[in-house]
Amino acid sequence: MELRNPFTDHPRALGMSWAGHAVGAVAISARMIGAGAACLVHALCPALFTDTAGKTVVSLSEHMARRKAEAGGEWPDYEI
């Protein structure tokens, strides 16, 4: 019976180390949190951050599509 390691199985499936995956996930989460905060400010004052969230979503989508294309072979439909 093979034991699964919840800390390394997913990063290895993406061809990454645990640390490399962690750094990438933190960077993506920081961008998402920033975009979410901009949305909250925008909700209160619609003149501010009018395109921040949309640009962030597009940028992250392009980033993930690029990684998938560069990896070749099998790549999950998700990155994080």
Side-chain angles (χ1 to χ4, degrees), residues 36-79:
C39 282
L40 290 172
V41 172
H42 175 73
L44 298 173
C45 184
L48 299 176
F49 303 110
T50 58
D51 57 2
T52 302
K55 284 183 176 181
T56 301
V57 169
V58 169
S59 174
L60 287 172
S61 177
E62 289 171 350
H63 167 76
M64 290 182 203
R66 233 181 354 265
R67 285 188 41 85
K68 185 175 182 177
E70 290 169 359
E74 285 193 35
W75 187 268
D77 288 335
Y78 55 86
E79 181 170 348

Side-chain angles (χ1 to χ4, degrees), residues 16 26 71:
M16 302 172 79
V26 167

